[in-house]
Amino acid sequence: MPMSATTSKKLNVLFITQDDPFYVRLFFEEFFKSFNELATIKGVVVAAAMGKKGPVQLARQMYDFYGPMDFVRVGTRYAAHKVKARIPALAGGNFYSIGQLCAHHGVPVFSTNRVNSPEFLASLREMDLDLIASVAAPVIFKKELVELPRLGCINIHNGALPRYRGMLPNFWQMYHNERQVGITIHEMNEKLDDGRILRQEMVDILPGETLDSLIRRTKILGAHVMARAIASLRDGTATYRENPASEGSYFSFPTKDHVREFKQNGKRLI
């Protein structure tokens, strides 16, 4: 069945994300390919991260996480994606950036490093937005942004809320030997991974699956979960359940010790 049912109702939707060529791009590839109301997508905003880490610190964090061999493999793949994103002739008909993908589907793409600024908010008001959807957005949405669309903002989180709040939830679910991971769509407020749960679907972790393959697979499946959530809001059939912080934990980025334990338990990153 197509992602959206036949209906006369339409929602003006804006996505806010980051330019991740590995995983986030897969979400949008699947969403654009299958969602049959692309004309209602007002655009995709590629937001720059506002964190304090510079490129060297981020590279060090990735090195500590992956280790030397996997760091080289991931770095080589990342560099290849960046080159192919800038030189279309090398892309071979594939997509290597959010920008390439949006251009192919005729979806406007915008870039900003100040999603909460008065100037950016003013430009959003001109779009008459019903909904903003966050897909790995690298910034915290402040109150004025959260309350700007008619139906508010929603976020997709690849973890079973409320338990698995925080960073890299697929890692932590595998780390704790869960048999399934959650794909959760929830309302957004000014707190991280907070707000009522709109939709949650559980996905089996396959035997021998690596963290990389699990993230890729849940990004693709997550496109369909997001579409079903948007359809429920459009059709007025959305139902919610609470997401109590008291029943969850906030997980930060894994340390080298966490990764070592992950591997000692027979699990692989890539």
Side-chain angles (χ1 to χ4, degrees), residues 225-247:
V225 181
M226 174 65 79
R228 287 190 279 272
I230 292 174
S232 72
L233 291 168
R234 179 202 62 207
D235 297 338
T237 59
T239 58
Y240 299 88
R241 65 182 176 89
E242 295 303 311
N243 179 18
S246 60
E247 296 180 12

Side-chain angles (χ1 to χ4, degrees), residues 162-223:
R163 182 180 180 190
Y164 287 98
R165 300 183 176 211
M167 302 179 70
L168 211 57
N170 275 327
F171 173 90
W172 292 112
Q173 287 165 114
M174 291 183 72
Y175 178 89
H176 287 109
N177 298 313
E178 302 284 3
R179 294 184 178 182
Q180 294 182 310
V181 297
I183 300 175
T184 306
I185 311 292
H186 65 93
E187 289 182 311
M188 295 181 70
N189 54 35
E190 293 180 271
K191 298 178 182 179
L192 292 174
D193 302 329
D194 204 45
R196 295 180 302 170
I197 294 171
L198 171 59
R199 192 174 191 95
Q200 186 172 91
E201 300 184 17
M202 303 303 293
V203 176
D204 289 341
I205 299 175
L206 302 178
E209 188 162 35
T210 66
L211 176 63
D212 176 75
S213 65
L214 179 62
I215 294 175
R216 293 169 64 87
R217 191 162 60 88
T218 52
K219 281 288 186 282
I220 293 169
L221 294 173

